[in-house]
Each structure stands twice: as C-alpha cells, then as structure tokens.
Amino acid sequence: MLAFNEYTRVKIPATIQFLRLGYQYQSLREADIDFRESLTPDMI
C-alpha cells in the first residue's frame, strides 16, 4: 500500500490546479522573499 501524506493529498494537487488556472510556480529556493512582509519584489 502507498503511503499518503500532506504532499500527495494536498500540496501537489493544489499546485497542479493553480498552474491550470494560469498561476506561475515560483520555487522558494530561487525566490527573493522578504519574510517580514511575505512578499517578493516581483509582487510590489
């Protein structure tokens, strides 16, 4: 039996749905995030 966790049941399907709606995925590894404001410079 497969092990299901939060990624397989929630995060991956939600990400796929947002991509289908036209949102662009931005990796946290490559992002320049201001954690005090929770924004990236692209959003401002």
Side-chain angles (χ1 to χ4, degrees):
M1 178 174 267
L2 294 173
F4 293 104
N5 57 30
E6 182 180 1
Y7 284 100
T8 59
R9 293 200 179 259
V10 179
K11 292 183 178 183
I12 293 172
T15 301
I16 292 170
Q17 185 65 29
F18 281 124
L19 291 173
R20 288 180 181 163
L21 291 172
Y23 288 87
Q24 295 179 355
Y25 179 76
Q26 182 175 15
S27 172
L28 288 176
R29 293 180 183 169
E30 299 170 3
D32 181 27
I33 299 175
D34 181 3
F35 287 102
R36 291 176 291 141
E37 301 289 333
S38 297
L39 297 172
T40 63
D42 298 337
M43 297 173 77
I44 299 174

